[in-house]
Amino acid sequence: MTDASLPEAETPRRGGFLKKALMALIAIAVLGGGGFAGGYFFAQQTVEEEPESDLMSLIESTERNTFGGPQRVPRPTPDDTLFQTSYYEFPVPLTTNLRGSRRFLQVGIGVATQYDEAVVENVERHQLALQSDMLAVASGFTEEEVTGQAGRDALSMALKDAMNARLEDLEGFGGIEDVFFPSFVMQ
């Protein structure tokens, strides 16, 4: 049977696959080129909008830091006094007996820092030692000392001081600025 003898609907198409492959390749090239061009122009616009003086002041403040520890991370705002806060929550709550009491305290503990991720990494790395220090501090409080907002604030400050002291011993820099209690149960 020859091609001429086949009905029109049954005539095999030649080059159909090649046409589709070529069209797909062209579509990918056009989309990729458009994405590249958009990214390039967006990046140029972002660089042009950022004033050099802010960038230079950030570089100079980094150079002035002589202790070699973590750096405060500024927020992307015109106000240089605002810094970005990072949080870390210990995965297991701290449970301890209270001094001179049959009651115990169970608290979830989270910390905050406005320094770079090095502080959070240090907290994660030394989590076991920090939990031990926090347990020693919390077990030294009485039931009356942790009752009310003033008691929670005192416990928070004592835990912050203990964790910073441990991190300074181990890493040369503390960096924990606040301690929070996502959960606080006394029974």
Side-chain angles (χ1 to χ4, degrees):
M1 219 182 205
T2 64
D3 287 338
S5 64
L6 288 175
E8 194 172 312
E10 295 179 10
T11 306
R13 296 184 188 190
R14 295 197 177 151
F17 175 74
L18 290 175
K19 283 182 184 178
K20 289 179 183 177
L22 184 59
M23 289 174 64
L25 187 61
I26 290 171
I28 290 171
V30 168
L31 289 174
F36 175 77
Y40 175 78
F41 288 117
F42 177 74
Q44 288 296 328
Q45 182 181 9
T46 303
V47 169
E48 290 172 4
E49 289 176 358
E50 189 172 315
E52 279 189 42
S53 62
D54 289 344
L55 183 59
M56 292 307 293
S57 67
L58 182 61
I59 291 170
E60 290 169 2
S61 69
T62 302
E63 290 173 353
R64 283 193 301 262
N65 186 354
T66 57
F67 68 89
Q71 305 290 317
R72 287 195 182 259
V73 180
R75 286 188 189 170
T77 62
D79 185 5
D80 290 339
T81 61
L82 296 177
F83 296 97
Q84 186 175 15
T85 303
S86 297
Y87 298 95
Y88 174 80
E89 184 176 354
F90 286 86
V92 178
L94 182 71
T95 304
T96 184
N97 292 327
L98 294 170
R99 184 175 49 127
S101 174
R102 296 186 66 171
R103 298 182 83 179
F104 69 90
L105 178 67
Q106 182 178 48
V107 291
I109 297 177
V111 297
T113 183
Q114 291 184 337
Y115 290 91
D116 58 25
E117 286 299 311
V119 173
V120 174
E121 290 169 4
N122 291 342
V123 169
E124 289 175 332
R125 183 179 311 111
H126 301 294
Q127 182 177 350
L128 183 65
L130 294 173
Q131 285 177 323
S132 177
D133 292 344
M134 289 187 294
L135 185 62
V137 168
S139 65
F141 277 75
T142 65
E143 184 178 332
E144 293 79 26
E145 290 173 329
V146 295
T147 302
Q149 187 62 44
R152 289 181 185 195
D153 291 345
L155 178 60
S156 173
M157 187 66 89
L159 292 174
K160 178 182 85 166
D161 293 344
M163 285 189 280
N164 278 328
R166 174 65 73 174
L167 289 173
E168 287 170 10
D169 287 345
L170 296 171
E171 296 291 339
F173 183 77
I176 295 174
E177 296 174 296
D178 279 314
V179 174
F180 299 100
F181 303 119
S183 64
F184 193 98
V185 178
M186 187 168 39
Q187 290 185 344

